[in-house]
Amino acid sequence: CCYVTVLLLCHGVVVVSRCCCYVTVLLLCHGVVVMSRCCCCVTVLLLCHGVVVMSRCCCYVTVLLLCHGVVVMSRCCCYVTVLLLCHGVVVMSRCCCCVTVLLLCHG
């Protein structure tokens, strides 16, 4: 799914784009479920004094090992901001990753 939103403001233009992808894999014979989701969002601000581009991508992966009662959840997000100002360029990048492991018990 991809969405594009364009806002025409008095002092500039804002373009927002978002794409999400979903993948689900079911290996029922082995009791494994893999779910993956990635969302990317790009925002472009065309201001009077420069251009601001903000990009964000998040990926979520969930693995369910049903027979063993194990759930593994992984999440990674990357943020990139680019400022094209009159006097130079500023690039800011940041990535965050988190992994959660749940060991379930039946008693």
Side-chain angles (χ1 to χ4, degrees), residues 2-14:
C2 290
Y3 304 91
V4 176
T5 303
V6 178
L7 304 177
L8 301 177
L9 303 178
C10 295
H11 300 287
V13 179
V14 179

Side-chain angles (χ1 to χ4, degrees), residues 23-54:
V23 176
T24 300
V25 179
L26 303 176
L27 300 177
L28 298 181
C29 293
H30 301 283
V32 178
V33 179
V34 179
M35 293 176 290
S36 175
R37 180 177 59 135
C38 282
C39 289
C40 289
C41 181
V42 178
T43 302
V44 179
L45 306 177
L46 303 177
L47 303 177
C48 296
H49 300 288
V51 179
V52 180
V53 179
M54 292 177 290

Side-chain angles (χ1 to χ4, degrees), residues 31-84:
V32 178
V33 179
V34 179
M35 293 176 290
S36 175
R37 180 177 59 135
C38 282
C39 289
C40 289
C41 181
V42 178
T43 302
V44 179
L45 306 177
L46 303 177
L47 303 177
C48 296
H49 300 288
V51 179
V52 180
V53 179
M54 292 177 290
S55 174
R56 184 186 64 171
C57 280
C58 289
C59 288
Y60 305 87
V61 177
T62 301
V63 179
L64 306 177
L65 301 178
L66 302 179
C67 295
H68 302 285
V70 178
V71 180
V72 180
M73 293 177 290
S74 174
R75 182 186 66 175
C76 280
C77 290
C78 289
Y79 304 87
V80 177
T81 301
V82 179
L83 306 176
L84 303 177

